[in-house]
Amino acid sequence: MKKNIITNINRLKTEKNAVILAHYYQVAEIQELADFVGDSLALAQAAEKVQADIIVFAGVHFMAETAKILNPNKKVLIPDMNAGCSLADSCSADEFELFLKKYPEHIVLTYVNASARVKVLSDIIVTSSNALKIVNQLPANQKIVFAPDRNLGAYINAATGRNMVLWNGSCHVHDQLETESIINLKLKYPNVPLIAHPECKGPVLEMADFIGSTQALLNFTKIDNNQSYIVATEGGIIHQMKKASPNKSFFVVPANETCNCNDCIYMKMNTLEKIEHVLETETNEIFIDDEIIIASLKPLKRMLQMS
Ligand code: 13P
Ligand code: SF4
């Protein structure tokens, strides 16, 4: 059955000159099928270079929007229109616009996990892969508002000595990981290092031996000499970690003792069946008003230039 779906998807891709871009948080079978798999930055960079007529974005809505902004003349399809993001949803454009009125002298740095309308209100977009690099290129006395992730913002403040004003948003996956779960894993697996995504809370990051974006965490497990890791992030990345280092062990930090729910419910809405369906019917197309495309392209292009 799965084999038939994969054969059909590949046939449709060739017939329609389509590509599939997938985030590392997709289920393993989608990662295996995709033409390109990456973190948010790599996917934006890949989207900028796409030659195909159709992009199927196996990720969440803001990522598909970003691909559309970078490719206004291409058809961008998302397998499930409900694949949103709790972090992007924690920052509505109307509320953010009001918030920014309090900080007229500040420039606005926005994590890519935000709607196109919030991107329009921003000066530079960042991802977890390039945030430190971009902040370090700004003058030391530059006043900055950072949105929407308070944990990533606090991490950047601590790492750079800045005092960015933070929007109070968070990701439901990373924000629920607690130090208690890590202590329990550390008791079970002594001397195993903790690696964590900067969307995790401060106390979790303080315990971490390495902090990085999804791509940085993956790279670290490839080059580091340890044989096992406690991993504080979304579970989808474990597929690539195991693939790159089949002899290493990875222990995912559970949200709590009764729940292993560190899957992003939105990322996991995408399935092979839904990819086949949107390719077949060309439904679930991303549409964005021209003026929003033009205005949000500016801060996105600044990010790509500064990365
Ligand atoms: P990165 O892909 O930049 O690591 O971000 C993680 C994430 O939460 C994506 O939604
Ligand atoms: Fe959004 Fe968090 Fe899911 Fe990433 S993992 S898409 S930040 S809800």
Side-chain angles (χ1 to χ4, degrees):
M1 174 64 180
K2 288 273 187 252
K3 204 167 156 234
N4 289 349
I5 294 181
I6 291 168
T7 309
N8 202 28
I9 291 173
N10 285 329
R11 177 186 61 78
L12 287 163
K13 261 177 46 188
T14 313
E15 272 174 28
K16 301 193 174 202
N17 191 24
V19 288
I20 299 174
L21 305 185
H23 191 270
Y24 284 134
Y25 296 172
Q26 294 298 290
V27 291
E29 57 194 18
I30 295 181
Q31 293 191 39
E32 287 302 308
L33 172 79
D35 297 282
F36 184 86
V37 189
D39 71 352
S40 305
L41 176 61
L43 285 166
Q45 287 167 330
E48 208 191 12
K49 297 192 191 98
V50 163
Q51 297 291 336
D53 298 316
I54 298 178
I55 299 171
V56 177
F57 210 111
V60 292
H61 196 268
F62 77 81
M63 295 180 172
E65 269 191 347
T66 303
K68 180 68 184 176
I69 294 163
L70 293 167
N71 293 281
N73 299 323
K74 295 191 196 301
K75 200 173 251 192
V76 178
L77 310 175
I78 184 162
D80 191 318
M81 268 293 178
N82 295 317
C85 165
S86 53
L87 178 53
D89 288 349
S90 68
C91 186
S92 86
D94 290 343
E95 285 176 71
F96 192 47
E97 194 165 15
L98 271 180
F99 178 80
L100 290 179
K101 289 203 193 314
K102 292 192 275 182
Y103 304 102
E105 292 170 4
H106 293 56
I107 68 159
V108 182
L109 239 66
T110 299
Y111 191 30
V112 70
N113 300 38
S115 69
R117 283 192 59 217
V118 167
K119 289 189 175 84
V120 170
L121 301 167
S122 313
D123 295 294
I124 313 173
I125 305 302
V126 301
T127 75
S128 50
S129 275
N130 60 20
L132 289 177
K133 186 175 177 189
I134 289 179
V135 170
N136 282 330
Q137 289 174 60
L138 301 174
N141 60 354
Q142 176 67 63
K143 293 178 176 168
I144 305 170
V145 166
F146 183 84
D149 192 278
R150 60 172 180 249
N151 295 334
L152 176 61
Y155 166 71
I156 298 168
N157 273 344
T160 61
R162 302 267 177 164
N163 187 22
M164 301 187 301
V165 175
L166 307 181
W167 178 265
N168 189 21
S170 66
C171 154
H172 75 285
V173 178
H174 293 89
D175 204 51
Q176 67 183 342
L177 304 181
E178 301 289 351
T179 49
E180 286 78 4
S181 309
I182 295 165
I183 291 165
N184 287 341
L185 280 170
K186 286 256 177 202
L187 288 172
K188 209 164 155 192
Y189 307 109
N191 304 321
V192 171
L194 168 69
I195 61 174
H197 193 283
E199 284 176 25
C200 294
K201 287 190 280 228
V204 169
L205 297 181
E206 274 164 33
M207 293 178 76
D209 299 281
F210 180 78
I211 300 168
S213 66
T214 314
Q215 186 66 56
L217 296 178
L218 172 61
N219 294 349
F220 181 76
T221 61
K222 287 183 191 171
I223 57 166
D224 180 65
N225 288 332
N226 283 287
Q227 289 308 303
S228 40
Y229 303 89
I230 298 172
V231 184
T233 190
E234 213 272 355
I237 189 60
I238 302 299
H239 174 64
Q240 297 292 337
M241 288 178 174
K242 277 192 179 146
K243 212 172 147 181
S245 310
N247 297 324
K248 293 189 176 185
S249 305
F250 302 94
F251 309 112
V252 184
V253 177
N256 58 53
E257 292 323 306
T258 55
C259 168
N260 269 330
C261 42
N262 58 354
D263 276 339
C264 171
I265 50 169
Y266 305 105
M267 287 281 185
K268 299 302 195 281
M269 284 179 182
N270 297 323
T271 61
L272 286 181
E273 288 79 1
K274 290 178 190 174
I275 291 176
E276 182 187 37
H277 180 73
V278 292
L279 259 176
E280 191 111 52
T281 57
E282 297 185 28
T283 46
N284 287 1
E285 182 171 356
I286 302 288
F287 292 106
I288 309 175
D289 291 345
D290 286 348
E291 59 275 25
I292 293 185
I293 290 196
I294 292 164
S296 55
L297 187 58
K298 246 173 93 181
L300 259 175
K301 283 275 180 195
R302 268 192 96 183
M303 171 188 88
L304 292 168
Q305 284 151 8
M306 292 173 88
S307 292

